[in-house]
Amino acid sequence: MAPQTFDEYLAAYGRADGDYPVIDLDAADMQRHTVVVTFAGGAKKAIVQFFGLAAHADGEHLCIDVHAFVDEQAARSSVFGMENGRRFAGFAETAPGRSHGWPAVRGVSVLIGTQADPQPQLEQRSEPQS
């Protein structure tokens, strides 16, 4: 069975020593908190920004923005959701839940790595028939 609580998730997937940095946002000041995460000797980086939005209102929530960099250059990142071992690409309307009216899943993964531009599709032109 998939973990349902915060403690169950940490017990299943967390560090054995239970030592985690904690960022406690003070919703009253609406301050943006920024963390820089690096991987692969610093070649892959992410600026992760945490915002407490709509403080003390019915719609209060935590917003997390991720800005990707590869080899010091702004990069694209890919996002998908996971729930009960199923991958949800693009958070289509078929996602199993909603958060603030948007399609939602329980887990979100952001992939930052090799960068590529898709090859443009060449127009298919038909020759005039005689």
Side-chain angles (χ1 to χ4, degrees):
M1 182 173 176
Q4 297 296 313
T5 69
F6 180 79
D7 289 335
E8 289 171 349
Y9 185 88
L10 286 179
Y13 302 109
R15 292 174 43 169
D17 64 9
D19 186 25
Y20 300 96
V22 175
I23 298 171
D24 187 10
L25 296 176
D26 178 8
D29 70 10
M30 299 295 289
Q31 185 176 359
R32 175 185 302 185
H33 298 270
T34 300
V35 175
V36 176
V37 179
T38 66
F39 186 72
K44 278 84 172 171
K45 294 181 181 178
I47 296 172
V48 183
Q49 295 178 309
F50 302 87
F51 306 82
L53 299 177
H56 309 295
D58 288 342
E60 181 177 71
H61 61 283
L62 172 64
C63 178
I64 303 171
D65 290 346
V66 179
H67 305 276
F69 296 85
V70 173
D71 296 328
E72 302 298 324
Q73 299 297 311
R76 295 182 179 98
S77 53
S78 178
V79 177
F80 65 89
M82 292 288 292
E83 187 161 330
N84 297 326
R86 184 171 171 206
R87 184 177 172 151
F88 291 87
F91 297 87
E93 292 299 319
T94 58
R98 295 288 179 271
S99 177
H100 293 81
W102 292 84
V105 293
R106 289 191 174 146
V108 178
S109 296
V110 177
L111 305 176
I112 301 169
T114 303
Q115 299 293 295
D117 287 324
Q119 296 300 313
Q121 296 292 326
L122 298 176
E123 275 187 46
Q124 296 294 324
R125 296 185 182 185
S126 59
E127 295 297 319
Q129 306 253 335
S130 43

